[in-house]
């Protein structure tokens, strides 16, 4: 296993040093004796570095006409770099790299002198420093990837109860696509069956698209999950609009986005778009409240157009959203079998196709209609194929989540 290089001293090469009493002919002899000797440090009598003689520069000067006659008997400081890079052995590699870059080209040929409390220890070479930095960056990258991968395990674990509940409640009549753009993402879903007087009376389904993606987005999903749990504990599961209002206040307080007096570049402006859906089996209706995201509703038993129901045009938790903001409950009667689709804008905004434009609501609706008569599983497969084909070689722009649920009223 290679030694981990963290400090300048880890690059130490023990090298002979000389003093100003050495003459240039002595230096010439030393270089002749040892071909691998690239640099000669020059020290004060007390061991502090005075300068550095570079082999190539020295020979370049001593081969000039008349220079041997003029300088052979003179002090070695004649061809010495009087301001070499001198670093303490405990200097961290990242700081050493910055100093080397600042020192300019000469450090690549001369290297640098390593000291301890100002006293000479040895020399270091930039090539070794570059190798060390490459390994350090690779190690940091591996650690970052490992951390993010473990964060993905945590995020998956948080979503697992909702996956289990969906598979139990809708064993063959739902489908879910949850695809973070990166290893972790800012989309979250939540599903719980609801009961009234001990009997199943429907469910609560939630889909949030939090600010950002990757690690920042994943952090926001943790805040959103906590906000949702507190909102349900306080307001119950029957009023989606009240839940959005409570989540708005929670996020604004948590991120200090409720006081415009402290609003500045140091403060975040984060929140979420999304939808909360409550299906009431007894009342045979759907109640939903939405922050910007549309709800798609498709009949399963008739060749009818897909409905796209818009949400309220304000996000949840953002600095610009008032603390006392309210959302509205929209009620949709469910008298025949329907399939509803909760989506995040990563689906609609994905660029692709021959014209390199967004997938869009119309294309999404048409794609879903084409799979109307298919089973939930087959419609999911068909949609994934169509969406990936449309995306083609374009990069994924955002996290993508789509939750499809079949609503079957009591009379069906």
């Amino acid at each position: 296993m290679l030694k981990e290089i963290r400090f300048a001293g880890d690059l130490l090469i023990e090298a002979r040093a000389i003093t100003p009493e050495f003459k240039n002919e002595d230096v010439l002899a030393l270089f002749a004796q040892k071909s691998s000797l690239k640099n000669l440090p020059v020290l004060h009598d007390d061991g502090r570095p005075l300068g550095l003689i570079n082999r190539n520069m020295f020979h370049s000067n001593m081969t000039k006409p008349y220079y041997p006659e003029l300088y052979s008997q003179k002090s070695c400081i004649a061809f010495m770099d009087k301001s070499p890079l001198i670093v303490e052995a405990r200097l961290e590699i990242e700081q050493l790299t910055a100093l080397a870059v600042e020192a300019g080209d000469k450090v690549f040929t001369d290297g640098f002198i390593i000291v301890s409390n100002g006293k000479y220890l040895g020399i270091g070479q930039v090539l070794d420093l570059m190798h060390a930095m490459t390994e350090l960056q690779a190690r940091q990258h591996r650690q970052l990837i490992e951390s993010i991968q473990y964060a993905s395990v945590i995020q998956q674990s948080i979503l697992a109860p909702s996956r289990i509940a969906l598979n139990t409640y809708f064993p063959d009549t739902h489908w879910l696509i949850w695809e973070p753009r990166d290893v972790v993402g800012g989309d979250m879903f939540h599903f719980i069956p609801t009961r009234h007087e001990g009997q199943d009376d429907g469910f609560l389904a939630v889909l949030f698209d939090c600010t950002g993606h990757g690690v920042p987005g994943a952090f926001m999903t943790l805040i959103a999950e906590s906000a949702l749990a507190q909102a349900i504990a306080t307001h119950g599961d029957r009023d989606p609009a009240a839940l959005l209002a409570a989540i708005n206040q929670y996020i604004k307080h948590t991120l200090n986005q409720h006081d415009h007096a402290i609003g500045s570049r140091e403060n975040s402006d984060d929140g979420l778009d999304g939808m909360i859906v409550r299906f009431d089996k007894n009342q045979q209706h759907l109640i939903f409240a939405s922050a910007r995201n549309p709800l798609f509703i498709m009949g399963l038993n008739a060749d009818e157009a897909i409905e796209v129901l818009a949400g309220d045009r304000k996000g949840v938790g953002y600095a610009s959203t008032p603390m006392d903001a309210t959302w509205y409950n929209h009620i949709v009667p469910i008298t025949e079998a329907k399939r509803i689709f909760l989506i995040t804008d990563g689906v609609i905004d994905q660029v692709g196709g021959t014209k390199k434009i967004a997938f869009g609501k119309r294309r999404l609706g048409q794609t879903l209609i084409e799979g109307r008569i298919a089973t939930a599983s087959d419609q999911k497969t068909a949609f994934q194929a169509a969406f990936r084909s449309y995306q083609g070689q374009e990069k994924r722009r955002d996290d993508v989540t789509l939750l499809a649920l079949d609503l079957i009223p009591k009379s069906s």
Side-chain angles (χ1 to χ4, degrees):
M1 183 176 179
L2 295 176
K3 175 186 176 183
E4 181 179 348
I5 296 175
R6 298 174 55 198
F7 305 102
D10 296 328
L11 300 173
L12 181 69
I13 300 172
E14 294 184 359
R16 177 177 179 176
I18 59 177
T19 62
E21 286 73 27
F22 276 66
K23 299 175 183 179
N24 286 314
E25 65 177 6
D26 300 324
V27 173
L28 192 63
L30 289 172
F31 281 139
Q33 291 170 10
K34 192 172 184 180
S35 60
S36 62
L37 186 61
K38 304 299 182 183
N39 300 290
L40 265 176
V42 182
L43 308 181
H44 291 283
D45 292 337
D46 62 0
R48 291 181 297 107
L50 177 63
L52 191 67
I53 301 174
N54 175 269
R55 180 191 190 97
N56 293 332
M57 292 295 295
F58 179 82
H59 280 304
S60 177
N61 282 304
M62 289 298 289
T63 55
K64 292 178 181 179
Y66 308 114
Y67 269 53
E69 293 82 1
L70 291 172
Y71 290 100
S72 290
Q73 297 302 311
K74 292 188 177 181
S75 170
C76 62
I77 67 172
F79 302 126
M80 176 187 74
D81 176 8
K82 297 179 176 60
S83 57
L85 177 59
I86 302 172
V87 298
E88 284 285 336
R90 295 298 296 174
L91 185 70
E92 293 184 348
I93 289 295
E94 295 92 335
Q95 295 172 295
L96 173 56
T97 302
L99 291 176
V101 171
E102 185 179 339
D105 294 342
K106 71 174 184 178
V107 76
F108 286 88
T109 56
D110 294 356
F112 47 91
I113 296 176
I114 302 173
V115 300
S116 176
N117 296 319
K119 298 298 181 66
Y120 175 76
L121 291 179
I123 60 173
Q125 299 295 337
V126 169
L127 184 59
D128 293 336
L129 173 60
M130 292 172 65
H131 287 158
M133 275 303 300
T134 300
E135 175 56 31
L136 176 62
Q137 291 172 350
R139 184 166 60 251
Q140 290 174 337
H141 179 71
R142 288 194 298 269
Q143 291 171 344
L144 177 61
I145 293 300
E146 289 169 359
S147 296
I148 294 175
Q149 287 174 338
Y150 192 74
S152 177
V153 173
I154 295 173
Q155 189 170 49
Q156 294 274 11
S157 298
I158 292 172
L159 298 174
S162 290
R163 288 186 186 273
I164 295 170
L166 281 166
N167 290 330
T168 302
Y169 199 88
F170 295 102
D172 301 308
T173 55
H174 89 282
W175 55 274
L176 169 68
I177 294 173
W178 181 76
E179 297 180 353
R181 192 197 73 170
D182 306 308
V183 180
V184 291
D187 286 0
M188 60 151 283
F189 58 89
H190 189 89
F191 179 85
I192 52 173
T194 58
R195 304 183 70 82
H196 180 65
E197 296 181 350
Q199 299 295 317
D200 168 32
D201 77 336
F203 62 79
L204 187 77
V206 179
L207 182 58
F208 288 157
D209 179 0
C210 299
T211 305
H213 33 70
V215 174
F219 268 104
M220 280 301 300
T221 65
L222 298 179
I223 296 174
E225 281 280 4
S226 179
L228 176 64
Q230 181 171 303
I232 292 174
T234 302
H235 299 280
D237 56 29
R238 312 185 78 82
D239 189 344
L243 295 178
L244 284 182
I247 293 168
N248 177 62
Q249 294 179 6
Y250 183 100
I251 292 175
K252 291 177 73 67
H253 275 296
T254 300
L255 299 181
N256 291 316
Q257 295 174 170
H258 59 289
D259 188 346
H260 291 289
I262 63 172
S264 68
R265 297 183 67 177
E266 288 77 28
N267 294 105
S268 64
D269 184 13
D270 298 290
L272 60 88
D273 299 340
M275 180 176 296
I276 300 178
V277 172
R278 170 76 165 91
F279 178 53
D280 190 321
K281 276 188 174 181
N282 296 324
Q283 298 296 323
Q284 296 197 139
H285 66 215
L286 186 74
I287 306 172
F288 78 94
S290 172
R292 297 178 177 157
N293 282 16
L295 177 67
F296 286 63
I297 302 180
M298 180 180 73
L300 295 179
N301 300 322
D303 186 16
E304 59 187 80
I306 194 166
E307 292 183 80
V308 182
L309 305 180
D312 294 346
R313 298 181 62 82
K314 55 179 173 286
V316 174
Y318 295 98
S320 60
T321 304
M323 177 65 76
D324 59 354
T326 57
W327 284 260
Y328 296 94
N329 284 324
H330 305 267
I331 299 177
V332 180
I334 303 296
T335 57
E336 60 181 20
K338 302 280 188 180
R339 181 172 292 163
I340 63 171
F341 303 90
L342 288 70
I343 65 169
T344 59
D345 60 11
V347 178
I348 296 170
D349 295 343
Q350 178 58 49
V351 170
T354 57
K355 296 182 179 180
K356 309 300 181 186
I357 59 176
F359 194 69
K361 295 178 185 177
R362 181 177 298 180
R363 185 175 285 103
L364 171 60
Q366 184 60 38
T367 304
L368 296 175
I369 286 176
E370 289 171 358
R372 182 200 304 271
I373 63 173
T375 63
S377 176
D378 288 345
Q379 187 185 43
K380 173 182 178 179
T381 301
F383 173 80
Q384 285 179 310
F387 188 72
R388 288 170 182 165
S389 175
Y390 185 82
Q391 179 181 336
Q393 299 302 312
E394 294 294 316
K395 292 183 178 180
R396 182 62 61 87
R397 296 297 182 92
D398 200 354
D399 306 317
V400 167
T401 306
L402 196 159
L403 175 60
L405 306 171
D406 285 1
L407 307 184
I408 311 298
K410 286 184 175 181
S411 57
S412 297

